[in-house]
Amino acid sequence: MTKDGLSLEEDQIRYSLPKGVKDGNWHSFHSEQGCMLYKNPLPFYKQGYLIYVAHFDAADITTTYQEIIWVKRFRLVRQATNLDLKPFGIYRAIAQVI
């Protein structure tokens, strides 16, 4: 998604972003599959997009396939931290003291 919450898909849905300690609003999808979430943020990070952590219930998962999960409902809870991104090979804000 873009920095102002617009989806990268053609539908251009605007998602509610978290503000401070307040989570974003819940988003529900009425299509058969729901909304597509990616397990690995690396390709999007390389393109300069912001990465957020999504919260959803296991009951909301409709389909999983390789690196993609489709869910009927989710919310964005915070922007991904360095610790969130490290398992994907994304390293930010590293200071080296020599």
Side-chain angles (χ1 to χ4, degrees), residues 64-82:
T64 61
Y65 179 73
Q66 295 178 356
E67 294 294 316
I68 302 171
I69 300 171
W70 283 268
V71 295
K72 289 278 190 184
R73 188 173 79 108
F74 79 94
R75 67 179 169 179
L76 301 173
V77 293
R78 61 182 160 78
Q79 192 171 349
T81 65
N82 291 342

Side-chain angles (χ1 to χ4, degrees), residues 15-25 52 76-79:
Y15 295 105
S16 170
L17 300 176
K19 291 181 178 82
V21 296
K22 186 175 185 262
D23 296 340
N25 296 329
Y52 287 89
L76 301 173
V77 293
R78 61 182 160 78
Q79 192 171 349

Side-chain angles (χ1 to χ4, degrees), residues 22-64:
K22 186 175 185 262
D23 296 340
N25 296 329
W26 285 97
H27 298 278
S28 297
F29 301 88
H30 303 290
S31 68
E32 192 172 307
Q33 283 194 318
C35 182
M36 187 172 22
L37 301 176
Y38 289 85
K39 295 178 184 178
N40 186 350
L42 184 59
F44 302 99
Y45 181 79
K46 286 181 176 180
Q47 294 178 51
Y49 292 110
L50 296 176
I51 308 299
Y52 287 89
V53 175
H55 174 244
F56 54 89
D57 295 324
D60 290 325
I61 297 173
T62 60
T63 309
T64 61

